[in-house]
Amino acid sequence: QVQLVESGGGLVQAGGSLRLSCAASGRTFSDYAMGWFRQAPGKEREFVAAITRKSGSIYYAYYADSVEGRFTISRDNAKNTVYLQMNSLKPEDTAVYVCAAAVVHSDRMAPLQPYGFDYWGQGTQVTVSS
């Protein structure tokens, strides 16, 4: 079992930045691929970004087209935490952001769909005003 707790959400003006954190507890954090999803009112849960567990000395990161170049996912295994740095925020980024952990069998694999993840946090609200 892995418990995930997000923080760092809030209200920001368009063009601003936020950094979300997701603290994990339970089993070995470094064994999991991690991801961020978001869900806006009336919409389905949407993939944002994912990061693999360590492969040699590097991680692989994957992004949705809508956030590529603006958002950066990273992780600190010593702190059992995954981050989502969000820059150049737009009103359409408004959503509840949820982090997730996935049991994977490859250092280069990270799921990109919700059904690929095994554990979920409760989410943190991000609101971007125009």
Side-chain angles (χ1 to χ4, degrees):
Q1 279 280 39
V2 175
Q3 292 77 44
L4 303 171
V5 179
E6 302 93 338
S7 62
L11 173 63
V12 64
Q13 288 189 332
S17 299
L18 281 175
R19 188 175 84 153
L20 305 183
S21 300
C22 173
S25 61
R27 299 188 63 181
T28 307
F29 175 75
S30 59
D31 288 345
Y32 294 89
M34 300 298 296
W36 286 96
F37 289 78
R38 66 187 181 187
Q39 189 162 16
K43 295 188 176 181
E44 292 191 355
R45 185 164 289 186
E46 174 189 23
F47 169 76
V48 175
I51 188 167
T52 62
R53 64 188 191 194
K54 201 168 188 179
S55 176
S57 60
I58 63 174
Y59 301 97
Y60 295 89
Y62 304 91
Y63 298 94
D65 290 345
S66 58
V67 307
E68 180 87 53
R70 299 189 297 123
F71 291 10
T72 302
I73 188 171
S74 62
R75 64 190 297 166
D76 185 337
N77 288 344
K79 295 183 178 180
N80 288 356
T81 301
V82 62
Y83 303 98
L84 186 68
Q85 177 67 44
M86 305 186 295
N87 299 329
S88 302
L89 282 161
K90 305 175 181 180
E92 51 264 43
D93 294 319
T94 295
V96 174
Y97 284 70
V98 185
C99 84
V103 176
V104 293
H105 303 291
S106 167
D107 291 345
R108 299 192 179 194
M109 175 188 171
L112 305 183
Q113 299 292 339
Y115 58 75
F117 287 85
D118 302 285
Y119 303 100
W120 294 85
Q122 293 298 309
T124 185
Q125 176 70 46
V126 171
T127 303
V128 184
S129 63
S130 58

